[in-house]
Amino acid sequence: MPEDNETIGSVSQSRYEQIVAELREVVDQHSRGQFTIGDRALEIEPSRPASGSRPEAGWTVKESLTRLAEDIALKYSTVNNARWVASRWPKERRQPGVSFTVYRILASLEDEGQRFAAVKRPPEGKSRWTADDASRMLGWQVESPVTKQEKISAIPSLAQDEDVAATVTTDLLGRPAVSAKVAVEDRVRVVEELTRDEQVAATAVTGLLRRPDVAFKAMSDDYPDYDQWRGQEVLLPAA
């Protein structure tokens, strides 16, 4: 266990533990508040199958929840989400010390028995559930990837912005140790994609022509008789 003379950020270990205890209570209060919103929304609009009937006259589910959201100054999506989570977690199945975020993630477990059992059993070696642990259990992307596969899975979403993707690609292409680990056929595919631009292709070809061994090998592979032409004068027809 870390000693008190160690620091976490700008505070001592003991002060950090005080802050954690204080904020855990805040998180518990937030969870209770979210479930209260969800429970009251369920009271106003109980869950029913998507194909279930609704009263001939009166409010639709969305109209009711929109009215409720406006009257408590929240978004409709917040109220509707709280209602859904509350419907997945009856009061007697809720456990102390579990954040509403974890409940929301685990609510996606379709098997009710699995869902209710899971919340009671944090991952091995953990005393409490974390949001990443819950996402990991469902096979979702985590915010703080740990394993190699999690890190790989995080890259596409991080690089959705084209400027970010371009910067990352440039960085990776400039790291020979990384590119050396890429299969030859994948490297070839990258080159083919990059040289679709005529200016890039022209520059690349100019560079390759300055490497005779590479050019001769390429020509020899595509044109078996090329070796016989090497060193011979090429006669062009008269104009």
Side-chain angles (χ1 to χ4, degrees), residues 36-47 65 68 83:
T36 298
I37 293 171
D39 290 337
R40 299 299 174 265
L42 273 174
E43 183 179 346
I44 295 170
E45 286 291 352
S47 293
L65 297 185
L68 177 61
R83 171 176 172 266

Side-chain angles (χ1 to χ4, degrees), residues 16 20 74 81 89 99 126 134 155 167 170 174 177 180 196 200:
Y16 176 80
V20 168
L74 292 177
N81 181 62
W89 295 101
S99 74
K126 302 283 187 73
I155 292 174
T167 301
T170 301
R196 290 182 187 278
V200 173

Side-chain angles (χ1 to χ4, degrees), residues 46-118:
S47 293
R48 55 176 177 262
S51 58
S53 59
R54 66 180 182 87
E56 291 290 332
W59 299 67
T60 65
V61 173
K62 186 165 186 178
E63 288 171 343
S64 297
L65 297 185
T66 298
R67 168 70 181 272
L68 177 61
E70 290 176 348
D71 285 342
I72 61 176
L74 292 177
K75 295 192 299 184
Y76 161 79
S77 59
T78 299
V79 173
N80 191 45
N81 181 62
R83 171 176 172 266
W84 176 73
V85 176
S87 73
R88 306 285 278 183
W89 295 101
K91 290 182 180 180
E92 65 274 13
R93 298 293 185 176
R94 301 169 192 172
Q95 303 295 316
V98 179
S99 74
F100 191 77
T101 299
V102 169
Y103 277 116
R104 177 173 52 77
I105 297 170
L106 294 181
S108 294
L109 286 169
E110 290 299 328
D111 186 283
E112 191 176 78
Q114 183 185 14
R115 186 164 69 246
F116 296 156

